């Protein structure tokens, strides 16, 4: 810990409003924005190295946290779109809640398939990068992803019937 409580409180008072305004502009959600700002201040509090410009550090950290949150939301939406089974009569996609999706991922997939789905959809890695991190071939990543998506589609299709 590099800062005394009084120093940290001073940084918080100086930087909080600007950081929150940035997070709100990026996320359009008050709870998410507050979480991103609190995360930035926690990182500053826990840092072991000297920070030359605390305000710039907080703003940069909030921005990165917001971008990560936006990317995570995009990844969840991409995964839900991939799992879309068929269009309804009114051209609406079936709704799969995040909780149901998480349960299905845990229950239905093998540990390797879960890793592959995580690398591709949660982390946004390419097949090649995922294969490198998992120590398998690109073909194995593709096969694992195809198998995982088949299992998930079958599960959600039977759930909708």
């Amino acid at each position: 810990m590099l800062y005394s409580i009084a120093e940290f409180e001073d940084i918080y008072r100086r930087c909080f409003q600007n950081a929150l305004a940035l997070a709100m502009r990026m996320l359009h959600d008050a709870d998410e924005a507050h979480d991103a700002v609190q995360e930035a201040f926690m990182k500053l509090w826990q840092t072991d190295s000297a920070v030359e410009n605390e305000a710039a550090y907080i703003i940069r950290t909030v921005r990165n946290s917001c971008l990560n949150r936006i990317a995570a939301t995009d990844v969840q939406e991409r995964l839900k779109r991939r799992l879309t089974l068929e269009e309804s009569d009114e051209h609406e996609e079936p709704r799969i809640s995040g909780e149901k999706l998480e349960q299905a991922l845990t229950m239905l997939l093998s540990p390797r398939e879960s890793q592959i789905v995580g690398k591709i959809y949660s982390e946004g890695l390419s097949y090649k990068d995922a294969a490198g991190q998992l120590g398998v071939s690109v073909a194995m990543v593709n096969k694992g992803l195809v198998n995982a998506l088949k299992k998930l589609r079958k599960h959600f299709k039977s759930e909708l019937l």
Side-chain angles (χ1 to χ4, degrees), residues 8-21:
F8 191 79
E9 286 175 348
D10 179 56
I11 295 166
Y12 188 87
R13 278 192 294 276
R14 284 187 293 122
C15 301
F16 179 79
Q17 288 301 323
N18 288 338
L20 184 59

Side-chain angles (χ1 to χ4, degrees), residues 20-135:
L20 184 59
L22 171 64
M24 283 296 296
R25 281 193 310 271
M26 292 182 74
L27 298 174
H28 308 288
D29 180 288
D31 290 335
E32 286 288 321
H34 276 93
D35 288 348
V37 171
Q38 294 304 337
E39 183 178 301
F41 279 102
M42 286 300 296
K43 284 184 179 182
L44 178 64
W45 179 256
Q46 294 170 344
T47 188
D48 291 333
S49 56
V51 175
E52 192 171 316
N53 184 340
E54 293 91 0
Y57 176 89
I58 292 295
I59 293 297
R60 184 177 63 248
T61 305
V62 166
R63 179 183 173 277
N64 290 341
S65 178
C66 290
L67 291 173
N68 289 340
R69 289 167 190 274
I70 291 167
T73 300
D74 289 345
V75 165
Q76 289 172 349
E77 289 304 314
R78 282 194 332 224
L79 182 55
K80 285 180 184 178
R81 277 195 304 273
R82 286 289 299 265
L83 292 174
T84 298
L85 304 170
E86 54 192 52
E87 292 186 14
S88 68
D89 293 336
E90 296 140 311
H91 301 290
E92 288 184 19
E93 294 181 359
R95 300 279 182 212
I96 300 170
S97 73
E99 186 177 309
K100 283 186 178 183
L101 181 58
E102 288 296 323
Q103 287 174 348
L105 290 171
T106 305
M107 287 183 347
L108 300 172
L109 304 184
S110 71
R112 177 61 80 190
E113 290 168 341
S114 292
Q115 287 178 320
I116 291 170
V117 168
K119 295 288 181 193
I120 301 296
Y121 289 106
S122 296
E123 297 177 33
L125 297 179
S126 67
Y127 285 30
K128 181 179 178 182
D129 291 339
Q133 285 189 12
L134 295 171

